[in-house]
């Protein structure tokens, strides 16, 4: 398993702690996920429509039906990809990596 590209998005609003940010009005995991994907696109070594698995991991979903994974799938017209949302509190990211590893 290889991670071909990464992207990130950090909300602009600071809460007084150096490493903690707060989403502003209108920002949520779906909008921030789209920004993170946009950040990763220039580093992706193939066309995004070739992606076959989209996993979003968070403890705080914006919508439990149209998750961040589904929002990305729709925005970039990745019709053949499987999209899933994973929530397991603080370990969501690590558990998402395990799901991806198991998929391949």
């Amino acid at each position: 398993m290889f991670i071909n590209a990464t992207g990130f998005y950090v909300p602009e609003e600071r809460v007084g702690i150096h490493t903690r940010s707060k989403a502003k009005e209108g920002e949520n995991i779906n909008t921030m996920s789209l920004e993170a994907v946009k950040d990763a696109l220039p580093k992706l070594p193939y066309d995004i429509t070739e992606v076959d698995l989209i996993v979003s991991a968070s403890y705080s979903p914006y919508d439990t039906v149209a998750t961040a994974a589904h929002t990305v799938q729709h925005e970039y017209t990745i019709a053949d990809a499987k999209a899933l949302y994973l929530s397991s509190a603080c370990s969501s990211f690590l558990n998402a990596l395990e799901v991806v590893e198991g998929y391949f």
Side-chain angles (χ1 to χ4, degrees):
M1 179 175 94
F2 296 96
I3 297 174
N4 291 306
T6 61
F8 70 94
Y9 174 80
V10 178
E12 294 176 12
E13 188 177 334
R14 299 286 183 197
V15 296
I17 301 171
H18 294 291
T19 60
R20 186 168 296 188
S21 299
K22 180 179 177 184
K24 63 184 173 188
E25 187 70 33
E27 283 184 324
N28 57 61
I29 185 174
N30 292 5
T31 62
M32 292 187 283
S33 295
L34 289 173
E35 291 297 324
V37 169
K38 187 189 315 181
D39 182 63
L41 279 178
K43 299 170 256 182
L44 197 62
Y46 45 80
D47 190 273
I48 192 167
T49 59
E50 294 179 33
V51 168
D52 58 357
L53 178 65
I54 304 166
V55 179
S56 62
S58 172
Y59 185 62
S60 53
Y62 174 69
D63 187 333
T64 56
V65 177
T67 70
H70 297 95
T71 300
V72 168
Q73 181 186 39
H74 176 75
E75 179 74 19
Y76 290 98
T77 317
I78 314 171
D80 294 330
K82 287 143 185 72
L84 72 101
Y85 169 76
L86 186 126
S87 177
S88 53
C90 296
S91 61
S92 294
F93 176 73
L94 293 176
N95 291 112
L97 288 177
E98 290 173 337
V99 167
V100 171
E101 182 182 34
Y103 178 79
F104 291 104

